[in-house]
Short mmCIF file of all heavy atoms in Angstrom, two decimals:
data_model
loop_
_atom_site.label_atom_id
_atom_site.label_comp_id
_atom_site.label_asym_id
_atom_site.label_seq_id
_atom_site.Cartn_x
_atom_site.Cartn_y
_atom_site.Cartn_z
N PRO A 1 78.04 129.87 127.11
CA PRO A 1 77.20 131.06 127.29
C PRO A 1 77.96 132.31 127.70
O PRO A 1 77.42 133.42 127.59
CB PRO A 1 76.22 130.63 128.40
CG PRO A 1 76.90 129.48 129.09
CD PRO A 1 77.69 128.78 128.04
N GLN A 2 79.21 132.18 128.14
CA GLN A 2 79.97 133.37 128.54
C GLN A 2 80.26 134.30 127.37
O GLN A 2 80.62 135.46 127.57
CB GLN A 2 81.29 132.98 129.23
CG GLN A 2 82.31 132.32 128.36
CD GLN A 2 82.12 130.82 128.25
OE1 GLN A 2 81.15 130.27 128.78
NE2 GLN A 2 83.03 130.16 127.55
N PHE A 3 80.09 133.82 126.11
CA PHE A 3 80.33 134.69 124.96
C PHE A 3 79.40 135.90 124.97
O PHE A 3 79.75 136.96 124.48
CB PHE A 3 80.15 133.92 123.65
CG PHE A 3 81.32 133.03 123.31
CD1 PHE A 3 81.15 131.89 122.54
CD2 PHE A 3 82.59 133.34 123.75
CE1 PHE A 3 82.24 131.08 122.22
CE2 PHE A 3 83.68 132.55 123.44
CZ PHE A 3 83.50 131.40 122.67
N LEU A 4 78.19 135.72 125.52
CA LEU A 4 77.25 136.83 125.56
C LEU A 4 77.42 137.67 126.82
O LEU A 4 76.76 138.69 126.96
CB LEU A 4 75.81 136.31 125.50
CG LEU A 4 75.14 136.31 124.13
CD1 LEU A 4 73.68 135.94 124.26
CD2 LEU A 4 75.26 137.67 123.46
N LEU A 5 78.28 137.22 127.72
CA LEU A 5 78.48 137.96 128.95
C LEU A 5 79.10 139.33 128.70
O LEU A 5 78.93 140.25 129.49
CB LEU A 5 79.38 137.14 129.90
CG LEU A 5 79.61 137.67 131.32
CD1 LEU A 5 78.29 137.78 132.05
CD2 LEU A 5 80.56 136.75 132.07
N GLU A 6 79.81 139.48 127.59
CA GLU A 6 80.47 140.75 127.27
C GLU A 6 79.49 141.91 127.28
O GLU A 6 79.75 142.95 127.90
CB GLU A 6 81.15 140.66 125.91
CG GLU A 6 81.82 141.95 125.47
CD GLU A 6 82.55 141.81 124.15
OE1 GLU A 6 82.47 140.76 123.51
OE2 GLU A 6 83.22 142.79 123.76
N ALA A 7 78.35 141.75 126.62
CA ALA A 7 77.36 142.83 126.57
C ALA A 7 76.81 143.13 127.95
O ALA A 7 76.62 144.29 128.33
CB ALA A 7 76.23 142.46 125.62
N ASP A 8 76.57 142.08 128.73
CA ASP A 8 76.04 142.27 130.08
C ASP A 8 77.04 143.00 130.97
O ASP A 8 76.67 143.85 131.78
CB ASP A 8 75.69 140.91 130.68
CG ASP A 8 75.06 141.02 132.06
OD1 ASP A 8 74.02 141.72 132.16
OD2 ASP A 8 75.60 140.45 133.02
N LEU A 9 78.31 142.67 130.78
CA LEU A 9 79.37 143.32 131.57
C LEU A 9 79.50 144.80 131.22
O LEU A 9 79.60 145.67 132.08
CB LEU A 9 80.70 142.63 131.33
CG LEU A 9 80.97 141.29 132.00
CD1 LEU A 9 82.25 140.68 131.45
CD2 LEU A 9 81.07 141.45 133.51
N LEU A 10 79.52 145.09 129.93
CA LEU A 10 79.86 146.44 129.47
C LEU A 10 78.70 147.42 129.54
O LEU A 10 78.93 148.63 129.56
CB LEU A 10 80.37 146.38 128.02
CG LEU A 10 81.73 145.69 127.80
CD1 LEU A 10 82.06 145.65 126.33
CD2 LEU A 10 82.83 146.39 128.57
N LYS A 11 77.46 146.93 129.56
CA LYS A 11 76.33 147.84 129.40
C LYS A 11 76.24 148.89 130.51
O LYS A 11 75.73 150.00 130.29
CB LYS A 11 75.03 147.05 129.32
CG LYS A 11 74.66 146.31 130.61
CD LYS A 11 73.39 145.49 130.42
CE LYS A 11 73.02 144.77 131.72
NZ LYS A 11 71.81 143.93 131.53
N ASN A 12 76.76 148.57 131.70
CA ASN A 12 76.67 149.51 132.82
C ASN A 12 78.01 150.16 133.17
O ASN A 12 78.09 150.89 134.16
CB ASN A 12 76.11 148.80 134.06
CG ASN A 12 74.68 148.33 133.84
OD1 ASN A 12 73.87 149.05 133.26
ND2 ASN A 12 74.39 147.12 134.28
N LEU A 13 79.04 149.89 132.38
CA LEU A 13 80.35 150.44 132.69
C LEU A 13 80.56 151.77 131.98
O LEU A 13 80.24 151.91 130.80
CB LEU A 13 81.45 149.46 132.27
CG LEU A 13 81.44 148.10 132.95
CD1 LEU A 13 82.60 147.24 132.43
CD2 LEU A 13 81.52 148.22 134.46
N LYS A 14 81.08 152.75 132.69
CA LYS A 14 81.35 154.08 132.14
C LYS A 14 82.77 154.48 132.50
O LYS A 14 83.06 154.87 133.64
CB LYS A 14 80.37 155.11 132.70
CG LYS A 14 78.90 154.79 132.44
CD LYS A 14 78.56 154.85 130.95
CE LYS A 14 77.09 154.53 130.70
NZ LYS A 14 76.78 154.46 129.25
N HIS A 15 83.66 154.32 131.54
CA HIS A 15 85.07 154.66 131.76
C HIS A 15 85.68 155.01 130.41
O HIS A 15 85.39 154.33 129.42
CB HIS A 15 85.81 153.47 132.39
CG HIS A 15 87.20 153.79 132.84
ND1 HIS A 15 88.26 153.91 131.95
CD2 HIS A 15 87.72 154.02 134.08
CE1 HIS A 15 89.36 154.20 132.62
NE2 HIS A 15 89.07 154.26 133.91
N PRO A 16 86.50 156.06 130.33
CA PRO A 16 87.10 156.44 129.03
C PRO A 16 87.97 155.36 128.41
O PRO A 16 88.26 155.41 127.22
CB PRO A 16 87.90 157.70 129.36
CG PRO A 16 88.10 157.67 130.84
CD PRO A 16 86.90 156.99 131.40
N GLY A 17 88.40 154.39 129.21
CA GLY A 17 89.24 153.33 128.69
C GLY A 17 88.48 152.07 128.33
O GLY A 17 89.08 151.02 128.09
N ILE A 18 87.13 152.15 128.30
CA ILE A 18 86.29 150.99 127.99
C ILE A 18 85.29 151.39 126.90
O ILE A 18 84.62 152.42 127.03
CB ILE A 18 85.54 150.50 129.25
CG1 ILE A 18 86.54 150.04 130.30
CG2 ILE A 18 84.57 149.37 128.90
CD1 ILE A 18 85.90 149.67 131.64
N PRO A 19 85.14 150.61 125.84
CA PRO A 19 84.19 150.95 124.78
C PRO A 19 82.75 150.97 125.31
O PRO A 19 82.38 150.20 126.20
CB PRO A 19 84.37 149.82 123.75
CG PRO A 19 85.68 149.20 124.08
CD PRO A 19 85.88 149.36 125.54
N THR A 20 81.94 151.84 124.72
CA THR A 20 80.53 151.94 125.08
C THR A 20 79.70 150.94 124.28
O THR A 20 79.88 150.80 123.08
CB THR A 20 80.02 153.37 124.79
OG1 THR A 20 80.79 154.30 125.55
CG2 THR A 20 78.54 153.51 125.15
N ILE A 21 78.81 150.23 124.98
CA ILE A 21 77.86 149.33 124.32
C ILE A 21 76.60 150.13 123.97
O ILE A 21 75.99 150.76 124.82
CB ILE A 21 77.49 148.15 125.23
CG1 ILE A 21 78.67 147.20 125.37
CG2 ILE A 21 76.27 147.40 124.68
CD1 ILE A 21 78.95 146.36 124.16
N TYR A 22 76.22 150.10 122.69
CA TYR A 22 75.04 150.84 122.25
C TYR A 22 73.79 149.98 122.18
O TYR A 22 72.69 150.44 122.47
CB TYR A 22 75.29 151.47 120.87
CG TYR A 22 76.37 152.52 120.88
CD1 TYR A 22 77.59 152.29 120.25
CD2 TYR A 22 76.19 153.74 121.53
CE1 TYR A 22 78.59 153.25 120.25
CE2 TYR A 22 77.18 154.70 121.54
CZ TYR A 22 78.38 154.45 120.89
OH TYR A 22 79.36 155.41 120.91
N ASP A 23 73.95 148.71 121.81
CA ASP A 23 72.77 147.89 121.62
C ASP A 23 73.17 146.43 121.45
O ASP A 23 74.34 146.12 121.16
CB ASP A 23 72.00 148.36 120.38
CG ASP A 23 70.52 148.00 120.43
OD1 ASP A 23 70.12 147.31 121.38
OD2 ASP A 23 69.79 148.44 119.53
N VAL A 24 72.20 145.52 121.65
CA VAL A 24 72.37 144.10 121.35
C VAL A 24 71.17 143.68 120.52
O VAL A 24 70.02 143.92 120.90
CB VAL A 24 72.45 143.25 122.63
CG1 VAL A 24 72.55 141.77 122.26
CG2 VAL A 24 73.65 143.65 123.47
N GLU A 25 71.43 143.07 119.36
CA GLU A 25 70.36 142.61 118.49
C GLU A 25 70.56 141.13 118.19
O GLU A 25 71.61 140.56 118.49
CB GLU A 25 70.34 143.42 117.19
CG GLU A 25 70.08 144.91 117.39
CD GLU A 25 70.00 145.67 116.08
OE1 GLU A 25 70.04 145.01 115.00
OE2 GLU A 25 69.89 146.90 116.11
N GLU A 26 69.55 140.51 117.59
CA GLU A 26 69.67 139.10 117.23
C GLU A 26 68.79 138.78 116.03
O GLU A 26 67.83 139.49 115.71
CB GLU A 26 69.29 138.20 118.40
CG GLU A 26 67.84 138.33 118.84
CD GLU A 26 67.52 137.36 119.97
OE1 GLU A 26 67.57 136.13 119.73
OE2 GLU A 26 67.22 137.84 121.07
N ASP A 27 69.13 137.70 115.34
CA ASP A 27 68.28 137.12 114.31
C ASP A 27 68.22 135.63 114.59
O ASP A 27 68.54 135.17 115.69
CB ASP A 27 68.77 137.45 112.91
CG ASP A 27 70.21 137.01 112.66
OD1 ASP A 27 70.67 136.06 113.34
OD2 ASP A 27 70.88 137.59 111.79
N ASN A 28 67.79 134.84 113.64
CA ASN A 28 67.62 133.41 113.89
C ASN A 28 68.92 132.67 114.18
O ASN A 28 68.93 131.65 114.87
CB ASN A 28 66.93 132.76 112.68
CG ASN A 28 65.50 133.22 112.53
OD1 ASN A 28 64.86 133.60 113.51
ND2 ASN A 28 64.99 133.19 111.30
N GLU A 29 70.04 133.19 113.67
CA GLU A 29 71.30 132.46 113.78
C GLU A 29 72.35 133.13 114.66
O GLU A 29 73.24 132.45 115.19
CB GLU A 29 71.91 132.27 112.37
CG GLU A 29 71.03 131.45 111.44
CD GLU A 29 71.64 131.33 110.06
OE1 GLU A 29 72.59 132.09 109.78
OE2 GLU A 29 71.19 130.49 109.27
N ASN A 30 72.28 134.46 114.83
CA ASN A 30 73.37 135.18 115.50
C ASN A 30 72.87 136.21 116.50
O ASN A 30 71.74 136.70 116.40
CB ASN A 30 74.24 135.91 114.45
CG ASN A 30 74.81 134.99 113.41
OD1 ASN A 30 75.62 134.12 113.71
ND2 ASN A 30 74.37 135.16 112.17
N TYR A 31 73.77 136.53 117.42
CA TYR A 31 73.61 137.72 118.27
C TYR A 31 74.56 138.78 117.71
O TYR A 31 75.62 138.46 117.15
CB TYR A 31 74.00 137.43 119.72
CG TYR A 31 73.04 136.52 120.45
CD1 TYR A 31 73.39 135.20 120.72
CD2 TYR A 31 71.79 136.98 120.88
CE1 TYR A 31 72.53 134.36 121.40
CE2 TYR A 31 70.92 136.14 121.57
CZ TYR A 31 71.29 134.83 121.81
OH TYR A 31 70.43 134.00 122.48
N TYR A 32 74.19 140.06 117.89
CA TYR A 32 75.02 141.16 117.42
C TYR A 32 75.21 142.17 118.56
O TYR A 32 74.22 142.71 119.07
CB TYR A 32 74.37 141.87 116.22
CG TYR A 32 74.13 140.97 115.05
CD1 TYR A 32 72.91 140.30 114.91
CD2 TYR A 32 75.10 140.75 114.09
CE1 TYR A 32 72.67 139.46 113.84
CE2 TYR A 32 74.88 139.91 113.01
CZ TYR A 32 73.66 139.26 112.89
OH TYR A 32 73.42 138.42 111.83
N ILE A 33 76.46 142.39 118.93
CA ILE A 33 76.77 143.40 119.96
C ILE A 33 77.29 144.64 119.23
O ILE A 33 78.31 144.59 118.55
CB ILE A 33 77.83 142.89 120.95
CG1 ILE A 33 77.36 141.60 121.64
CG2 ILE A 33 78.15 143.96 121.99
CD1 ILE A 33 78.41 140.96 122.53
N ILE A 34 76.56 145.74 119.37
CA ILE A 34 76.95 146.99 118.70
C ILE A 34 77.64 147.88 119.72
O ILE A 34 77.04 148.24 120.74
CB ILE A 34 75.73 147.71 118.09
CG1 ILE A 34 75.10 146.86 116.98
CG2 ILE A 34 76.16 149.05 117.49
CD1 ILE A 34 73.94 146.04 117.41
N GLU A 35 78.87 148.21 119.48
CA GLU A 35 79.63 149.01 120.44
C GLU A 35 80.44 150.10 119.75
O GLU A 35 80.53 150.16 118.53
CB GLU A 35 80.54 148.12 121.28
CG GLU A 35 81.59 147.36 120.50
CD GLU A 35 82.41 146.44 121.41
OE1 GLU A 35 81.84 145.48 121.96
OE2 GLU A 35 83.62 146.71 121.55
N GLU A 36 81.01 150.96 120.58
CA GLU A 36 81.84 152.08 120.11
C GLU A 36 83.00 151.53 119.27
O GLU A 36 83.66 150.57 119.66
CB GLU A 36 82.36 152.84 121.32
CG GLU A 36 83.29 153.99 121.01
CD GLU A 36 83.87 154.61 122.27
OE1 GLU A 36 83.60 154.11 123.38
OE2 GLU A 36 84.60 155.61 122.14
N TYR A 37 83.26 152.18 118.15
CA TYR A 37 84.41 151.80 117.32
C TYR A 37 85.63 152.56 117.81
O TYR A 37 85.65 153.79 117.81
CB TYR A 37 84.14 152.10 115.85
CG TYR A 37 85.36 151.93 114.96
CD1 TYR A 37 86.06 150.73 114.92
CD2 TYR A 37 85.81 152.99 114.17
CE1 TYR A 37 87.16 150.57 114.12
CE2 TYR A 37 86.92 152.84 113.35
CZ TYR A 37 87.59 151.63 113.33
OH TYR A 37 88.71 151.49 112.54
#
């Protein structure tokens, strides 16, 4: 379950050296973490 911890960790972090998390989506088979490129 720690694979999904990334979104939980990043969603509240604000630092120029850390990518911004924009959203988390899912379908029947996968989770999708959408973040700054």
Side-chain angles (χ1 to χ4, degrees):
Q2 68 274 4
F3 283 152
L4 263 187
L5 186 60
E6 178 177 5
D8 183 56
L9 284 171
L10 292 177
K11 66 183 181 182
N12 296 319
L13 299 180
K14 302 294 180 185
H15 189 284
I18 298 174
T20 301
I21 289 286
Y22 295 111
D23 205 355
V24 177
E25 298 183 6
E26 64 177 295
D27 57 25
N28 292 333
E29 299 178 346
N30 303 295
Y31 290 106
Y32 301 92
I33 302 174
I34 296 97
E35 62 183 66
E36 177 185 3
Y37 171 56

